[in-house]
């Protein structure tokens, strides 16, 4: 069975606290960097972390952490893509205006 995300933390220290609480209860947590690539071997001392446990331990881990299964926020990659495209489009549309202001009167 695959691993299931049971906690999303702000940094590595918070993730270690969560993982420690799960280890005390004899669960097997794994901490990964929260990236769109799933962590892919990236190492960083800053940034969000995800705490995973084996699928068969997920219900117990959520119980220990005081979270219900409905609390996990679904990440929608399509919404993320639309936001990125909108920001890039806005920057591209603003470029001629900014360039005109920076160039000064002609």
């Amino acid at each position: 069975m695959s691993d299931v995300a049971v906690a999303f933390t702000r940094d590595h220290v918070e993730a270690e606290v969560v993982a420690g609480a799960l280890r005390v209860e004899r669960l097997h947590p794994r901490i990964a960097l929260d990236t769109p690539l799933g962590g892919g071997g990236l190492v960083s001392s800053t940034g969000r972390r995800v705490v995973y446990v084996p699928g068969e331990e997920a219900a117990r881990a959520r119980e220990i952490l005081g979270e219900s299964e409905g609390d996990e926020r679904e990440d929608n990659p399509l919404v993320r893509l639309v936001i990125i495209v909108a920001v890039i489009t806005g920057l591209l549309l603003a470029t001629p205006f900014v360039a005109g202001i920076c160039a000064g009167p002609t």
Side-chain angles (χ1 to χ4, degrees):
M1 188 177 264
S2 63
D3 289 347
V4 176
V6 293
F8 297 89
T9 63
R10 290 175 289 184
D11 54 33
H12 187 73
V13 173
E14 187 177 341
E16 284 293 343
V17 170
V18 170
L22 296 174
R23 285 185 192 110
V24 165
E25 298 294 328
R26 300 186 193 270
L27 299 182
H28 304 90
R30 177 177 63 87
I31 299 171
L33 188 62
D34 187 15
T35 68
L37 304 174
L42 298 174
V43 177
S44 173
S45 61
T46 61
R48 285 177 37 125
R49 298 291 197 278
V50 182
V51 179
Y52 294 96
V53 294
E56 61 272 5
E57 297 178 356
R60 176 92 171 105
R62 286 190 180 104
E63 179 183 317
I64 291 165
L65 298 174
E67 298 177 3
S68 68
E69 291 189 29
D71 288 346
E72 187 174 318
R73 184 177 60 91
E74 293 285 329
D75 187 23
N76 189 338
L78 184 60
V79 171
R80 189 180 290 192
L81 177 66
V82 168
I83 291 170
I84 291 169
V85 168
V87 168
I88 292 172
T89 302
L91 290 172
L92 290 173
L93 290 173
T95 301
F97 299 110
V98 173
I101 292 171
C102 291
T106 53

